[in-house]
Amino acid sequence: MTLTPTRAVDVRVRRLTTTLYGYSFLEEFVLLYPVYALLFSDAGLSVWQISSLFALWSVTAVVLEVPSGAWADAVSRRLLLVIGPLLTGAGFASWVLVPSYAAFAVGFVLWGIGGALTSGALEALVYDELERSGAADRYARVLGRARAAGLVAVMAAMGLAGPVLAWGGHAAVGAASVLVCLLTSVTALRFPERRVARAGTGVRRGWVAALRAGLGEARRDRSVRRALLLVPAVAAVWGALDEYTPLLVREAGVGDAAVPGVLLVIWGGATAGSLLAGEGERFGTGGLALLLGGGGLALAVGALGGTVVGLVLVAVAFGAFQAATVLAETRVQHRIEATGRATLTSVAGLGTEVVTLTVFAGYAVIASGHGHGAAFAVAAVPYVVLAVGLGAVRWCGRRSARRSPV
């Protein structure tokens, strides 16, 4: 049977999206995620030591983020998506086999390398394939659904982590996590990848040439720079906070065995935010400001409440921040060119990691002296400030438009 051009495009898009959703689900379906902060705490690590591990994770990503993005522009993005989960699985194995600060540090380094290899490469591959199929306008919706698939996986892992931990201990949780990493790597082999030459140059450029091309575009185009700065401003703080949510839940009086179940509420909110992100794109800067301001207020009030009921507001905040993150990342993809897409996406990721390092350090200072609820509340302040700033930019833009002659 011969496919019409329209149907052939639909088949290509369907293969891409189903593979993406499967990859996104498996990448997050890691039973260690809900309990590894508790594992570190139970191993005798202090808040400062736990924060130092998170910082080491971020430092690894900072060092490798942009180079790995340029590598993805120079070689096969699909190849990096295959390798990344294998390194992450090796890191998780080290945590369970030799549970100590040194092993945790090694695991985070491997996880950081694996994450850097896939960061930028995944978004660039998906956007380019959608664009070549004439479906780039679907990107926000597709990305939102992919993030939702990942969050559903997080919630499923939360639901299973407790029973598996009770049944087989950390060894069983770790073995399941390593297996999922292997399955993620295998799934990446299904991604389509049609790299074509542009402007008379082959896509298999050298690493240095790919890096220069991507950074050169950011220097030339102000709109690209603004979009790149918006991503860490939106994504970094709440992305760091999610590492501490088990400890916030515990501080609210929830027993360890019930922590994964309570976290389902928070990540349920984030999942809803992902699914609604595609609709939120049409509201522009004003809608983004509303998401950030409302989310910041909900986070502060919910965290300071110190109760399970207050955690519902934290769930609302995470939903708003998740939707805002998808919208910010979509702005980046719409503004950059395909030849440097992975490089510039990684630049945004680098900015996120740098801000995240600052959040980890600040969180340790505040939480050590005043508790996790206070630390979460302070972390809400930047979102309110950013919302006010975006609202002011939107207002000034509309005022200028009214003054301009027709």
Side-chain angles (χ1 to χ4, degrees), residues 235-246 248 267 299 318 321 356 359-360 363 372 375-377 379-380 383:
V237 176
W238 85 278
L241 290 181
D242 85 58
E243 304 300 333
Y244 298 100
T245 49
L248 178 69
W267 293 110
L299 179 65
F318 272 39
F321 298 150
T356 298
V359 175
F360 285 150
Y363 189 97
H372 297 287
F376 269 68
Y383 286 113

Side-chain angles (χ1 to χ4, degrees), residues 180-232:
V180 167
C181 289
L182 296 176
L183 293 175
T184 306
S185 180
V186 171
T187 301
L189 294 171
R190 293 194 70 253
F191 275 116
E193 186 175 27
R194 295 170 291 161
R195 306 293 294 276
V196 298
R198 288 177 176 264
T201 62
V203 294
R204 296 298 190 265
R205 299 169 298 169
W207 175 83
V208 175
L211 180 62
R212 288 176 177 171
L215 297 181
E217 183 180 354
R219 287 194 299 269
R220 293 189 302 270
D221 193 329
R222 181 181 299 177
S223 68
V224 172
R225 292 198 301 273
R226 288 175 176 172
L228 292 175
L229 290 172
L230 182 61
V231 172

